[in-house]
Amino acid sequence: MGCFSSKHIKHMQPEGCEDPVALANETSFTVNEVEALGELFKKLSCSISKDGLINKEEFKLALFRNSNKQNLFVDRVFDLFDIKRNGAIDFGEFVRSLSVFHPRAPESEKIGFAFRLYDLRCTGFIEPDELKEMVLALLNESDLELTGEVVQTIVDRTFAQADSKGDGKIDLEEWIEFAKRSPYLLRNMTLPYLMDITVSFPSFVMNSEVNEADMRS
């Protein structure tokens, strides 16, 4: 069972959403890619609640197949997608936010998004405790474990390389320079399958429908 009949999904977009041509003009997506994202959005936005919006539980279900899993990384990404800060993601926010992960998106957009991801307190700076929290969250999301000593070493080395002003925090200017010298920082900021979104959906989307086991986990 799905949220809409397969014979009706072609060139459909969520009811009341923004025009695909306008969204394509604003983002790195083509019109056809935006239309395909409309189908993807429909599936995600009705996986738990059929309200035409993606709430945090649906967002987590799409990534983890578990709407209850707690992870700072996912919470932070959701917050950045939720541009209007109303606790849900509409289609325009979905497309505009995903655009930064498109292979054709400018590197400057990817660097800026990554900076905001780590700037947990939204102060315009990345501080050591924020970086440590995100490193731990990323390790947890990947089911990896490192000792506290190793994590602290990662934080210390990052600041030694990025904090060129030596004030104990990393501003956007320092982050841009650090990212240019350390391309590995952006390796998760490009999702190649977005180039093929008109052909097929990523596996997590095809498996995102709720069943009783998901709701009990």
Side-chain angles (χ1 to χ4, degrees), residues 20-48:
V21 175
L23 283 172
N25 287 334
E26 288 183 42
T27 66
S28 297
F29 292 111
T30 65
V31 173
N32 286 340
E33 288 170 344
V34 173
E35 290 176 338
L37 286 174
E39 299 168 18
L40 188 158
F41 183 86
K42 273 179 169 285
K43 191 171 184 69
L44 296 183
S45 64
C46 68
S47 59
I48 294 178

Side-chain angles (χ1 to χ4, degrees), residues 101-139:
F101 295 94
H102 198 287
R104 290 193 295 267
E107 184 180 85
S108 59
E109 291 184 9
K110 298 178 185 292
I111 292 175
F113 188 95
F115 181 82
R116 294 194 301 276
L117 188 67
Y118 283 88
D119 180 16
L120 299 178
R121 322 289 186 249
C122 301
T123 60
F125 301 96
I126 299 173
E127 301 191 35
D129 62 328
E130 293 174 311
L131 179 59
K132 186 173 183 177
E133 285 184 59
M134 281 301 298
V135 169
L136 290 171
L138 287 166
L139 290 171

Side-chain angles (χ1 to χ4, degrees), residues 32-184:
N32 286 340
E33 288 170 344
V34 173
E35 290 176 338
L37 286 174
E39 299 168 18
L40 188 158
F41 183 86
K42 273 179 169 285
K43 191 171 184 69
L44 296 183
S45 64
C46 68
S47 59
I48 294 178
S49 175
K50 297 183 180 181
D51 57 2
L53 299 169
I54 297 176
N55 59 40
K56 186 171 288 189
E57 289 71 27
E58 289 168 328
F59 195 73
K60 290 180 178 179
L61 185 62
L63 294 180
F64 294 112
R65 301 210 61 200
N66 183 341
S67 61
N68 298 316
K69 182 170 181 176
Q70 300 298 313
N71 186 278
L72 174 64
F73 172 72
V74 178
D75 287 344
R76 188 67 186 132
V77 173
F78 179 87
D79 289 343
L80 293 180
F81 272 53
D82 179 18
I83 299 169
K84 297 175 183 174
R85 301 291 186 268
N86 60 359
I89 301 169
D90 63 29
F91 184 60
E93 292 172 316
F94 183 68
V95 175
R96 290 184 178 90
S97 299
L98 265 184
S99 178
V100 74
F101 295 94
H102 198 287
R104 290 193 295 267
E107 184 180 85
S108 59
E109 291 184 9
K110 298 178 185 292
I111 292 175
F113 188 95
F115 181 82
R116 294 194 301 276
L117 188 67
Y118 283 88
D119 180 16
L120 299 178
R121 322 289 186 249
C122 301
T123 60
F125 301 96
I126 299 173
E127 301 191 35
D129 62 328
E130 293 174 311
L131 179 59
K132 186 173 183 177
E133 285 184 59
M134 281 301 298
V135 169
L136 290 171
L138 287 166
L139 290 171
N140 180 56
E141 190 271 336
S142 302
D143 293 322
L144 296 174
E145 291 188 16
L146 294 177
T147 65
E149 182 178 350
V150 172
V151 171
Q152 188 60 52
T153 297
I154 293 173
V155 173
D156 292 342
R157 287 180 176 175
T158 298
F159 269 78
Q161 297 175 43
D163 180 20
S164 59
K165 298 175 183 176
D167 56 3
K169 54 190 178 183
I170 302 170
D171 61 26
L172 180 58
E173 180 183 2
E174 291 171 316
W175 182 259
I176 291 172
E177 291 304 313
F178 180 52
K180 289 179 179 178
R181 300 194 308 269
S182 310
Y184 68 87

Side-chain angles (χ1 to χ4, degrees), residues 1-16:
M1 292 180 62
C3 301
F4 47 92
S5 171
S6 60
K7 65 183 179 181
H8 293 132
I9 63 176
K10 188 174 183 180
H11 300 305
M12 285 182 63
Q13 61 187 87
E15 184 178 354

